[in-house]
Amino acid sequence: MKFSRQTTLRAQATVAGVGVHSGLPVTLTLGPAPVDAGFIFVRTGLEGSDREVQATAEQVIATDFATVLGDRTGPLVSTAEHVLAALRGMGVDNATIEIDGPEVPIMDGSAAAFIAAIDQAGIVSQPAQRRFIQVLKPISVKIGDSFGEIRPYASGFRAEVEIDFTNPVIGQQSYAFDLSPERFRREVGRARTFGLMCDVARLWSAGYALGASFDNTVVFDDERLLNTEGLRFADECARHKVLDVIGDLALAGLPLLGAYRSVRGGHKLNHAVLTALLADRTAWRVVEGEAARRTTRPVGDVGHGIVGGRIAAAYGPDVS
């Protein structure tokens, strides 16, 4: 966790792909933004003029199968979580995200392509102190059998995710992760979105997953993994949920100093906990770089996954 100055991108970098739900081709360009701008989506390709939407919790209008941002006229950008996770995970504070379609491209289902774009653009420091939202007291939300909590944490930002699927191939998994750019790149950024074959017909009939394929989604049936190349990590599903958490909580507008725990959660729970936190002005405060440094203590290289009660190892080379 670095506490010094704000950062932005040195130049622009572009990726192109299809939307996992819309199936439509889309081009996305990451670029620089001024101090204190945060993350700003610029939706092009619309009739009339381009439209901007700030990546904040207030602009979220749907969380059913992805995080959707919009304004009073309706949705503007869907599936925002992976590119936001890449920006926050890699330590970028301010950026523009120009997009010419209704949905961020899914790429390979992870944040790897966006990490590569950030590497291509480069990260530069800006002449202003980095600011944080420091969590001061626990805030929790329960939705059905899902539970989420964010609490004070003295060592930066931590995510603790537990999933529990009736599907026997996925089953129970957990992953705990202390955020740093190096560890985000190595441990979480490559974890892909996943789904169940039995849900495909239902999603298609509802107009979702029209762009999903084995190239961008890890797919399971009741007996096995269907992707021929296998998993990138034994606990890839839990790691991807951590990726989603980082992207969804990036909508706080500033980096968080706190620990977030999610049990059987998803985008709806992540958003509910974040909005509950921000609504309680006694639960957080904004601190700047040096003040944030004084409220934290060093942390070891903590981060591990558990599948069925066992420590999970990666299945292949752990590189981005």
Side-chain angles (χ1 to χ4, degrees), residues 194-208:
F194 63 95
L196 304 176
M197 198 66 188
C198 62
D199 291 333
V200 170
R202 177 176 59 86
L203 291 170
W204 283 345
S205 65
Y208 294 100

Side-chain angles (χ1 to χ4, degrees), residues 53-183:
V53 59
Q54 193 79 27
T56 62
E58 292 82 1
Q59 304 305 129
V60 173
I61 63 172
T63 55
D64 290 335
F65 297 104
T67 296
V68 183
L69 305 176
D71 57 21
R72 56 184 176 80
T73 67
L76 289 174
V77 179
S78 178
T79 321
E81 57 271 11
H82 296 172
V83 67
L84 292 175
L87 290 164
R88 178 65 73 227
M90 294 301 293
V92 178
D93 295 291
N94 306 300
T96 58
I97 309 161
E98 185 177 301
I99 182 170
D100 67 358
E103 186 178 13
V104 172
I106 190 62
M107 309 311 289
D108 72 346
S110 77
F114 304 120
I115 295 171
I118 292 167
D119 288 342
Q120 178 185 338
I123 300 175
V124 293
S125 295
Q126 295 178 288
Q129 288 288 306
R130 176 171 282 160
R131 298 184 301 148
F132 300 82
I133 291 176
Q134 182 186 20
V135 179
L136 301 177
K137 69 179 186 183
I139 295 291
S140 63
V141 173
K142 193 174 188 302
I143 303 175
D145 64 353
S146 300
F147 173 81
E149 178 188 51
I150 192 161
R151 63 185 190 273
Y153 185 60
S155 301
F157 177 74
R158 179 176 175 86
E160 302 165 355
V161 167
E162 302 172 33
I163 62 175
D164 185 4
F165 281 77
T166 56
N167 178 282
V169 189
I170 301 175
Q172 296 179 337
Q173 298 180 21
S174 65
Y175 198 74
F177 176 80
D178 284 273
L179 179 61
S180 72
E182 297 79 11
R183 297 192 58 233

Side-chain angles (χ1 to χ4, degrees), residues 177-240:
F177 176 80
D178 284 273
L179 179 61
S180 72
E182 297 79 11
R183 297 192 58 233
F184 179 82
R185 181 195 298 272
R186 185 175 72 243
E187 299 178 28
V188 171
R190 295 176 58 245
R192 297 164 293 176
T193 193
F194 63 95
L196 304 176
M197 198 66 188
C198 62
D199 291 333
V200 170
R202 177 176 59 86
L203 291 170
W204 283 345
S205 65
Y208 294 100
L210 302 180
S213 72
F214 290 121
D215 293 328
N216 57 41
T217 306
V218 178
V219 184
F220 301 89
D221 67 13
D222 289 338
E223 298 180 349
R224 61 193 175 97
L225 170 72
L226 300 181
N227 302 66
T228 57
E229 74 275 19
L231 294 171
R232 294 176 177 175
F233 311 92
D235 52 359
E236 187 166 1
C237 297
R239 293 187 189 221
H240 185 79

Side-chain angles (χ1 to χ4, degrees), residues 11 43 52 76 107 170 201 263 291 310 319:
R43 176 68 195 280
E52 293 186 0
L76 289 174
M107 309 311 289
I170 301 175
V263 180
R310 294 175 288 107
V319 297

